[in-house]
Amino acid sequence: MRMVLLGAPGSGKGTQAALLKQSLAVPHISTGELLRAAVAAGTPLGLQAKAVMESGALVSDEIVLGMLEERFGRADIGSGFILDGYPRNLAQARALDGLLGRLKLPVEKAVQLDVAEETLLGRLAGRAKAEGRADDNPESVKKRLTVYQEQTAPVIDYYAEHGTLVRVPGEGTVDEILARILAALR
Ligand code: AMP
């Protein structure tokens, strides 16, 4: 299965992707994780991305696409993949289609996790305490939700137009949501 997982910050993409990785036996590719690893390693790319990520804005399309091309160069994606955190805008959605078209590994399903805004805010506040992520402070959270509405939400329509979109309610227990996603993939 080659899928992208869509949803607002706090919608549970990371949690579900980790479980789907086990169920589907395919790699989980998170652009946020790749970027956080680059920041932690202090690479030139990480140094460039750090402040932008902390502010809650998007890192440049060029940087993220370069990182993704490198990741998609690895052989393990032949079995499929769960892409989490990408695409974040329409230009990225088109770039991804270009890249995967060249690799002859097009996206089969785009799963949108639908979660109410109050739930997102509650989950992000909880995560800020539990994980201490630099971009889970109140100002960055606000910015990330605005960026999501303005730039990322249009990506849902993009996949609807391509006939690959499925929408899944992202509220309930982790297991209930996982079962819904697996059912939607069938
Ligand atoms: P995430 O872990 O997916 O919530 O991503 C954390 C942060 O990494 C985002 O707020 C962005 O600053 C950056 N980021 C992750 N994925 C992308 C992407 N596809 N395009 C641009 N920036 C990204």
Side-chain angles (χ1 to χ4, degrees):
M1 172 55 64
R2 297 183 298 273
M3 62 175 288
V4 298
L5 199 50
L6 305 172
S11 62
K13 292 191 301 295
T15 303
Q16 291 299 329
L19 297 170
L20 286 165
K21 174 188 157 141
Q22 306 296 326
S23 303
L24 303 172
V26 297
H28 167 206
I29 303 175
S30 154
T31 48
E33 290 293 333
L34 291 172
L35 285 163
R36 282 187 287 280
V39 170
T43 65
L45 186 154
L47 293 175
Q48 253 181 292
K50 187 172 191 280
V52 179
M53 289 174 74
E54 282 175 11
S55 77
L58 293 182
V59 174
S60 83
D61 288 351
E62 207 185 335
I63 290 186
V64 185
L65 182 63
M67 227 176 48
L68 205 59
E69 279 174 333
E70 195 181 313
R71 180 63 187 83
F72 276 115
R74 282 171 52 186
D76 63 349
I77 65 146
S79 60
F81 53 82
I82 302 154
L83 187 55
D84 153 21
Y86 194 99
R88 285 287 231 279
N89 58 36
L90 288 174
Q92 292 187 1
R94 295 188 192 105
L96 180 66
D97 277 349
L99 170 62
L100 296 178
R102 286 194 292 282
L103 295 172
K104 304 217 171 358
L105 297 170
V107 169
E108 294 171 282
K109 290 272 186 226
V111 175
Q112 161 71 15
L113 286 178
D114 284 319
V115 175
E117 178 142 338
E118 307 93 78
T119 312
L120 297 175
L121 290 170
R123 287 186 188 169
L124 289 165
R127 189 168 81 186
K129 276 199 195 132
E131 294 178 19
R133 248 175 70 166
D135 59 356
D136 276 343
N137 65 78
E139 299 78 59
S140 303
V141 163
K142 202 166 156 227
K143 172 78 180 164
R144 282 159 61 215
L145 290 171
T146 310
V147 165
Y148 175 78
Q149 285 308 334
E150 293 178 357
Q151 302 189 51
T152 311
V155 169
I156 303 171
D157 294 334
Y158 178 91
Y159 286 107
E161 282 159 21
H162 285 71
T164 43
L165 182 75
V166 285
R167 298 189 86 124
V168 170
E171 305 199 36
T173 68
V174 167
D175 288 341
E176 280 165 359
I177 301 166
L178 176 65
R180 281 181 209 139
I181 298 175
L182 289 171
L185 292 176
R186 271 180 221 124

